[in-house]
Amino acid sequence: MKLKGDERIDQLYSQDIKIIQSPSVFSFSLDAVMLANFAEPKISKNSFLVDLCAGNGAVGLFLSHKTHGKIAEVEIQPRLSDMANRSVQLNGLEDQVTVYNDDLSQASQIFGKDSVDVVTVNPPYFSNLSTSKKNPNEYLAIARHEIKTNLRSVIQTSSDLLKTGGKLYMVYRPDRLHELMNVMTHFRLAMKRIQFIYPKVDRKSNMMLVSAIKDGKETGLNVDYPITVYHQNGEYSKEVKKMLYGE
């Protein structure tokens, strides 16, 4: 596999998946690993999963061992979608995973409304405010701030894609939980699970994993046990080591 510029090949050892990365363009982080670990796609070969805001394809590739169904990855940035496509080839998953270089707002036209069993998304976390301090690197700024899309568009697209009873899995910021629940409710998504992620035991949560069901009942929200990323000595916790290395 020919690499470009400062690209490198990294590996998620717990699943034997190789990913093309670039520090100046995009590298997957722990949130992608956690989202793939949290998501529960259907196993059936007739199932269909769409990963929005796919970046370099990490989440979809990490989920490939959990399902026999098809996986589509949607990424708006051409360079990132190219990296994702080459990573699909690198892992020999062309028959299962397809990458689309497109705006997620076009996803329901590409795949059809009410056609998807599971949607996963690791969206930009931060609002695109005039006062927001953004990364000067355009690739990273688009990945982190709502420059090309926003929460409302992400949730509306997810709802449009999902069948009744279909599930959305996403990773997001706890400080936007209230906003997220309101937008989900507006677009017929009932939140069913939340898992809070803490950097260390003495720190506030800085990440959360969320699942929702289309047209589900508004009751029955479960809060999973929390995950702490690091011990006080700086080593990964047992749960995180298992996700990364299979230990």
Side-chain angles (χ1 to χ4, degrees):
M1 178 61 63
K2 186 177 181 180
L3 300 179
K4 302 177 181 179
D6 61 355
E7 291 178 350
R8 66 179 189 271
I9 296 175
D10 287 346
Q11 184 167 356
L12 184 66
Y13 291 97
S14 62
Q15 297 173 31
D16 195 27
I17 290 289
K18 298 179 176 66
I19 303 284
I20 295 173
Q21 308 253 77
S22 166
S24 63
V25 178
F26 189 89
S27 297
F28 77 85
S29 53
L30 193 57
D31 49 4
V33 179
M34 288 189 165
L35 176 58
N37 183 73
F38 181 75
E40 298 175 339
K42 289 189 173 182
I43 298 175
S44 169
K45 66 178 181 180
N46 296 318
S47 65
F48 186 32
L49 182 150
V50 174
D51 180 43
L52 302 174
C53 304
N56 65 345
V59 174
L61 289 168
F62 296 160
L63 283 167
S64 61
H65 76 290
K66 284 189 169 185
T67 177
H68 300 299
K70 299 292 187 181
I71 297 173
E73 301 190 317
V74 182
E75 170 52 47
I76 193 171
Q77 299 194 67
R79 176 73 193 277
L80 272 63
S81 63
D82 173 62
M83 291 168 65
N85 193 52
R86 285 183 287 127
S87 288
V88 170
Q89 298 171 31
L90 182 64
N91 290 279
L93 292 169
E94 297 96 323
D95 292 340
Q96 183 183 19
V97 183
T98 306
V99 180
Y100 294 81
N101 176 212
D102 214 324
D103 191 315
L104 65 82
S105 65
Q106 302 302 307
S108 60
Q109 295 183 35
I110 298 170
F111 308 116
K113 290 188 175 182
D114 308 310
S115 63
V116 177
D117 297 291
V118 170
V119 171
T120 57
V121 59
N122 182 0
Y125 294 155
F126 304 106
S127 299
N128 184 26
L129 304 175
S130 58
T131 55
S132 300
K133 185 177 180 180
K134 301 178 184 68
N135 196 302
N137 183 315
E138 182 183 12
Y139 296 107
L140 301 179
I142 290 172
R144 295 170 183 173
H145 286 82
E146 295 178 333
I147 296 171
K148 297 291 187 179
T149 190
N150 56 47
L151 178 61
R152 186 178 180 88
S153 181
V154 167
I155 299 302
Q156 181 175 7
T157 298
S158 299
S159 181
D160 286 346
L161 288 173
L162 287 169
K163 302 173 182 177
T164 295
K167 294 183 179 181
L168 167 66
Y169 296 92
M170 67 183 294
V171 56
Y172 212 51
R173 296 273 299 186
D175 58 3
R176 299 188 72 178
L177 175 58
H178 184 70
E179 179 186 3
L180 174 62
M181 293 185 77
N182 285 338
V183 176
M184 280 186 167
T185 300
H186 181 78
F187 289 109
R188 300 163 52 194
L189 290 167
M191 193 177 294
K192 291 297 181 181
R193 284 176 64 202
I194 304 179
Q195 187 170 40
F196 292 101
I197 312 300
Y198 296 81
K200 290 185 177 181
V201 292
D202 58 350
R203 303 283 182 85
K204 294 180 180 179
S205 172
N206 63 347
M207 191 190 313
M208 64 183 181
L209 299 161
V210 175
S211 75
I213 296 178
K214 184 174 179 180
D215 294 327
K217 295 180 180 179
E218 293 185 3
T219 57
L221 173 62
N222 293 299
V223 180
D224 289 7
Y225 63 88
I227 293 177
T228 301
V229 177
Y230 295 103
H231 292 304
Q232 290 301 99
N233 63 5
E235 292 185 3
Y236 281 128
S237 65
K238 182 179 179 181
E239 295 95 331
V240 173
K241 279 185 178 180
K242 185 174 182 181
M243 292 182 208
L244 291 173
Y245 309 113
E247 295 179 3

